[in-house]
Amino acid sequence: MDAALSVQLILILTLSTVAVALFQQLRLSPILGYLTTGVLVGPSVLGWIPDSQTIQPLAELGVVLLMFTIGLEFSLPRLLAAKQLVLGLGFAQVGLTALLFAAAGGWWWDLSPGEAFIVGGALAMSSTAIVLKQLGEQMELQTHHGRVATGILLFQDLATVPMLVVLPVLAADPARLAGQLSLALAKAALVFGGLVLIGRWLLPSLLHWVASKRSLELFMLVALLLAVSAAALTGLVGLSPTLGAFMAGMLLGETLFRHQIEADIRPFRDLMLGLFFATIGMQLDMSVLFRAPLALGLILLLLLPGKAVILVPLVRLFGLSGPVAQRASLTLAQGGEFGLLLVSSALALDVLEPPLAQPLLGELSSVWRSRRCCCDMATF
């Protein structure tokens, strides 16, 4: 292993251990610990790690595994069983929230359509990991507002996939946007068709053979191989690797081994995702708190009360009561990890300029501190 990579990993893992333990003691998300570690070691504070390029491949693997495990949850029968909440209310929340936030951001900052798309999409997302964990701790997953929040979060996770597919298209020549987008969708359809054929004909036999060997190591290796191979396939055809990982997860979600695969992948996913959030922290320029306080204030105003105001009438339109609508809207008012993923990916592809991306990254990171308040208020 390269000496520079070894030193950086030791430094990040050491500080992350301390930071995550501290934030968990304070009953806050471990993600904040990773972000804080990245901010401290990054160029804007201590400067111990001048850039995140050395560990970026490991961080990207974490995102691939995340999308793979999310795909495991998106079996078609499950989607159809909860179609009113997931496909109906979820689509309405993401679509309307993203549209209004994109329009507000475009008017305030005079953004291009591509930049407005990223801003709206990022701010429309909530944190699946944090909200579901909080609802589980409060024994509210099976309540009315818990089911509403879960359905919307499922669609938000699903909506992230086409957004990530569109990002490389937005980075291309704007004059060729329609053609590039059509080509990307055609490639995605072909890749998905190929994966479906493989999944229907080869995966069941392969997984049964692996299970017959009764080897946890072999099963884990096969699961990792499937996730990484699907990601590499979509990357080779010019699409986002996360799309392939998600598709592979969806196909495996139809099998009897879904829960075993998810359990095997989870330790690798959580560790690599920690590195991913640390790299996001390295990209944060803390001086933006002093240089762009107005932009931060506007994003905060849009994000917390704005999302709640939009969501309450939507939930009521779907026939649910006022208290359910209010609790669900408070639960989903914060920002999410996929918002950070969209903004950081857009920044890496030069779709967003740093003066705009930095306030978004800073605000989406900071609003996680409000998640305990929002979720606790939702219990009353």
Side-chain angles (χ1 to χ4, degrees):
M1 182 182 293
D2 182 76
L5 176 60
S6 300
V7 172
Q8 290 184 10
L9 284 176
I10 291 172
L11 182 60
I12 291 174
L13 292 175
T14 301
L15 292 179
S16 295
T17 301
V18 176
V20 168
L22 176 61
F23 278 102
Q24 286 190 330
Q25 185 68 27
L26 297 174
R27 303 182 68 187
L28 293 172
S29 170
I31 295 174
L32 287 173
Y34 293 117
L35 288 169
T36 302
T37 297
V39 170
L40 289 176
V41 302
S44 68
V45 181
L46 298 176
W48 291 347
I49 301 179
D51 60 66
S52 59
Q53 297 303 312
T54 307
I55 63 171
Q56 194 66 38
L58 294 176
E60 291 173 354
L61 179 59
V63 179
V64 165
L65 295 180
L66 173 64
M67 297 305 294
F68 177 73
T69 53
I70 288 174
L72 291 171
E73 300 294 327
F74 278 95
S75 63
L76 291 179
R78 182 181 178 186
L79 282 177
L80 293 176
K83 59 185 177 181
Q84 183 179 15
L85 288 180
V86 178
L87 303 179
L89 183 54
F91 175 80
Q93 186 273 329
V94 172
L96 183 59
T97 305
L99 180 63
L100 292 177
F101 285 175
W107 170 75
W108 183 267
W109 286 305
D110 192 25
L111 303 179
S112 68
E115 292 173 332
F117 170 80
I118 299 302
V119 170
L123 295 180
M125 299 298 168
S126 304
S127 175
T128 301
I130 290 176
V131 172
L132 293 184
K133 182 176 183 296
Q134 188 69 40
L135 289 174
E137 290 176 353
Q138 297 172 176
M139 306 294 290
E140 295 180 355
L141 282 172
Q142 299 304 317
T143 63
H144 288 301
H145 71 274
R147 288 197 294 268
V148 168
T150 301
I152 292 174
L153 287 169
L154 286 175
F155 187 86
Q156 287 182 1
D157 293 346
L158 185 61
T160 306
V161 177
M163 290 182 184
L164 291 173
V165 172
V166 169
L167 277 182
V169 178
L170 294 176
D173 184 2
R176 302 169 55 194
L177 180 60
Q180 292 287 336
L181 183 57
S182 299
L183 180 60
L185 292 176
K187 288 180 179 179
L190 287 174
V191 170
F192 185 70
L195 290 176
V196 167
L197 291 176
I198 295 174
R200 299 289 182 182
W201 293 98
L202 297 180
L203 279 184
S205 300
L206 173 62
L207 293 176
H208 278 95
W209 177 80
V210 173
S212 68
K213 301 302 178 182
R214 301 183 181 276
S215 171
L216 291 177
E217 292 84 359
L218 181 60
F219 202 93
M220 181 175 57
L221 284 171
V222 170
L224 285 171
L225 175 63
L226 292 172
V228 176
S229 298
L233 176 62
T234 51
L236 286 174
V237 299
L239 298 174
S240 171
T242 56
L243 176 63
F246 178 82
M247 290 177 176
M250 278 194 68
L251 295 175
L252 290 171
E254 302 284 348
T255 69
L256 299 175
F257 305 98
R258 174 168 64 89
H259 297 293
Q260 181 63 48
I261 294 171
E262 185 176 8
D264 289 341
I265 290 288
R266 185 178 297 274
F268 295 95
R269 184 200 68 181
D270 291 345
L271 178 59
M272 299 303 176
L273 269 181
L275 292 177
F276 167 72
F277 286 113
T279 60
I280 290 180
M282 294 178 203
Q283 297 177 43
L284 286 173
D285 183 1
M286 299 309 294
S287 64
V288 73
L289 296 173
F290 307 99
R291 290 188 288 102
L294 187 60
L296 289 173
L298 176 63
I299 296 173
L300 182 62
L301 182 63
L302 283 171
L303 193 59
L304 294 179
K307 289 176 74 172
V309 168
I310 294 170
L311 189 55
V312 168
L314 282 179
V315 177
R316 295 299 305 274
L317 283 175
F318 278 77
L320 296 162
S321 66
V324 170
Q326 293 166 10
R327 291 174 180 176
S329 64
L330 285 173
T331 301
L332 299 172
Q334 86 294 107
E337 55 269 17
F338 284 117
L340 283 172
L341 173 60
L342 287 172
V343 174
S344 61
S345 300
L347 182 61
L349 292 170
D350 294 326
V351 177
L352 286 184
E353 296 296 327
L356 174 62
Q358 286 298 332
L360 283 171
L361 288 174
E363 198 65 56
L364 287 171
S365 301
S366 65
V367 293
W368 265 325
R369 295 177 178 88
S370 66
R371 64 102 179 182
R372 172 67 61 177
C373 174
C374 289
C375 291
D376 283 350
M377 288 174 63
T379 65
F380 290 101

